[in-house]
């Protein structure tokens, strides 16, 4: 049966038995005269707004979204109360309440907390962000406890890896794992003497016969073989004194002045003594026997001036030991003997034609010639 239907336009009002809005973009949905909306579900992507003064607004079922404004009502919500670790409170929606962690108000900044069974409390450990410190001991328990970084203080327990002693190190126990105190030392060090140079025996250190006083190195009397220097030799920069015999197996080179001080005679085992060593030309050279405190004496020497190829032995007096050239006072006369005939025009070997005067020539038949 046909009925009149009111056409709804913008700005008009209408009484509808039912209303389904698929997409409410704006505006307000109002209730009937009794202030109620129908029991039908209202869905939409927009907001459902109960204006100020709305009463008896009820909701059943689940709720999602946000709620703004104040909640007023009786204590008909199920009570919300504290559990373990939360300070005592009750909230049913009727009045405000504050939720706090038990013991939080007594906690100190940077102090590590602990659980007492009912609340949190400060421990003796402080964490600054880079360092954990404590006024009491810190214990790590468990077989797999790991500590990294630096450590100071005492340690109790055994280490997973033991420390053993290798060659040259000895200990009060054979190995160390942290379970008991131990002492280790250099093998043989207990027997070492002060200032005595030590040596390696293969298993430890031992005294030698060499003592270093800080200013002098001494080889002890117990060293029967003395001091042996291998290739490289010895370079001594200070004055040295040998208090006993000195034997030189090789050559002795003296770059400076050689002085021989002896209360007895000088004994030279060599068959010949080389004077003027290293020279490439004939030069005055010989031996001076001192006879006064001025240091001069009588000399027997080989004169080189105008004395032929080989020079001529001569005598001189008042010759200093530092002299490098000497004027002869007298000459040694030499004799060439056992000659088959006379000398003829042959010059004397010693002194030559210039300074060979006085030398003799003797033949096998007894003839005697004097060069004059």
């Amino acid at each position: 049966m046909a009925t009149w239907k009111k056409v709804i336009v913008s700005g008009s009002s209408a009484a509808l038995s039912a209303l389904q809005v698929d997409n409410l973009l704006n505006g307000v949905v109002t209730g009937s005269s009794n202030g109620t909306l129908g029991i039908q579900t209202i869905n939409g992507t927009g907001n459902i707004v109960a204006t100020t003064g709305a009463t008896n607004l009820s909701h059943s079922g689940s709720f999602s979204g946000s709620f703004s404004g104040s909640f007023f009502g009786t204590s008909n919500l199920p009570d919300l109360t504290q559990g373990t670790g939360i300070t005592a409170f009750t909230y049913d929606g009727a009045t405000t309440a504050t939720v706090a962690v038990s013991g939080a108000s007594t906690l100190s900044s940077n102090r590590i907390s602990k659980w007492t069974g009912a609340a949190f409390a400060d421990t003796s450990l402080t964490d600054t962000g880079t360092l954990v410190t404590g006024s009491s001991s810190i214990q790590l328990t468990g077989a797999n406890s790991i500590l990294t970084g630096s450590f100071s203080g005492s340690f109790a327990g055994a280490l997973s890896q033991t420390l053993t002693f290798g060659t040259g190190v000895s200990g009060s126990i054979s190995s160390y794992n942290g379970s008991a105190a131990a002492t280790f030392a250099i093998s043989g060090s207990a027997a070492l003497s002060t200032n005595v140079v030590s040596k390696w025996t293969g298993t430890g250190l031992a005294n030698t016969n060499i003592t270093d006083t800080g200013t002098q190195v001494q080889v002890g009397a117990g060293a029967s073989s003395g001091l042996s220097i291998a290739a490289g030799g010895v370079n001594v920069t200070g004055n040295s004194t040998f208090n006993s015999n000195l034997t030189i197996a090789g050559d002795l080179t003296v770059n400076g002045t050689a002085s021989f001080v002896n209360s007895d005679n000088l004994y030279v085992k060599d068959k010949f003594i080389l004077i003027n060593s290293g020279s490439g030309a004939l030069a005055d050279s010989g031996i001076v026997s001192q006879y006064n405190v001025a240091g001069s004496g009588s000399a027997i020497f080989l004169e080189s001036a105008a004395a032929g190829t080989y020079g001529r032995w001569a005598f001189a007096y008042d010759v200093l030991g530092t002299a490098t050239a000497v004027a002869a006072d007298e000459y040694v006369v030499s004799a060439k003997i056992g000659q088959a005939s006379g000398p003829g025009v042959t010059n004397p070997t010693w002194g030559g034609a210039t300074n060979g005067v006085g030398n003799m020539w003797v033949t096998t038949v007894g003839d005697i010639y004097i060069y004059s």
Side-chain angles (χ1 to χ4, degrees):
M1 177 177 177
T3 60
W4 291 99
K5 309 300 191 292
K6 186 177 180 177
V7 178
I8 305 300
V9 297
S10 176
S12 62
S13 60
L16 305 175
S17 61
L19 176 65
Q20 176 178 335
V21 180
D22 293 330
N23 187 10
L24 181 62
L25 297 178
N26 53 48
V28 179
V29 177
T30 59
S32 61
S33 59
N34 59 9
T36 63
L37 293 175
I39 63 174
Q40 298 299 320
T41 303
I42 299 177
N43 296 318
T45 58
N47 297 326
I48 300 176
V49 179
T51 60
T52 302
T55 60
N56 298 323
L57 178 62
S58 63
H59 171 75
S60 63
S62 61
F63 171 79
S64 64
S66 62
F67 174 83
S68 63
S70 301
F71 178 83
F72 300 96
T74 60
S75 304
N76 55 4
L77 291 177
D79 290 343
L80 178 63
T81 59
Q82 79 282 351
T84 303
I86 304 297
T87 56
F89 80 99
T90 300
Y91 178 74
D92 60 4
T95 59
T96 60
T98 300
V99 181
V101 176
S102 297
S105 61
T106 63
L107 297 180
S108 302
S109 178
N110 291 338
R111 187 67 65 86
I112 297 176
S113 59
K114 65 181 178 181
W115 179 248
T116 64
F120 288 96
D122 285 338
T123 66
S124 61
L125 301 178
T126 300
D127 183 0
T128 65
T130 57
L131 183 68
V132 175
T133 59
S135 59
S136 59
S137 61
I138 301 176
Q139 295 182 353
L140 300 179
T141 60
N144 296 321
S145 297
I146 299 176
L147 178 65
T148 60
S150 61
F151 171 79
S152 63
S154 61
F155 175 82
L159 302 174
S160 59
Q161 303 294 328
T162 57
L163 175 66
T164 56
F165 308 117
T167 303
V169 180
S170 59
S172 57
I173 56 178
S174 60
S175 62
Y176 176 76
N177 64 0
S179 61
T183 301
F184 72 94
I186 304 299
S187 297
S189 59
L192 297 180
S193 302
T194 302
N195 292 336
V196 175
V197 178
S198 59
K199 65 180 179 181
W200 177 250
T201 64
T203 58
L205 297 177
N207 287 326
T208 64
N209 288 315
I210 302 174
T211 301
D212 182 0
T213 65
T215 58
Q216 188 180 60
V217 176
Q218 302 171 346
V219 178
S224 58
S225 59
L227 178 64
S228 177
I229 305 299
V234 179
N235 182 14
V236 181
T237 58
N239 296 329
S240 300
T241 301
F242 295 89
N243 293 315
S244 188
N245 298 330
L246 173 64
T247 300
I248 299 175
D251 297 334
L252 174 63
T253 301
V254 180
N255 293 326
T257 301
S259 300
F260 300 91
V261 180
N262 197 325
S263 59
D264 297 324
N265 296 326
L266 173 64
Y267 298 93
V268 179
K269 188 175 182 180
D270 292 335
K271 301 301 186 291
F272 294 95
I273 298 175
L274 179 62
I275 303 176
N276 197 30
S277 173
S279 297
L282 188 65
D284 291 353
S285 53
I287 299 174
V288 178
S289 177
Q290 181 177 337
Y291 53 63
N292 59 34
V293 295
S296 61
S298 298
I300 179 171
F301 68 101
L302 184 69
E303 185 186 59
S304 61
T309 303
Y310 306 107
R312 185 172 182 180
W313 289 99
F315 297 96
Y317 58 88
D318 289 343
V319 179
L320 294 174
T322 58
T324 57
V326 179
D329 179 59
E330 296 181 6
Y331 291 93
V332 175
V333 175
S334 63
K336 189 180 289 293
I337 63 175
Q339 302 302 307
S341 61
V345 296
T346 303
N347 294 324
T349 302
W350 304 103
T354 304
N355 203 13
V357 176
N359 289 333
M360 302 176 65
W361 183 289
V362 181
T363 66
T364 55
V365 296
D367 295 331
I368 301 175
Y369 302 87
I370 298 177
Y371 192 76
S372 64

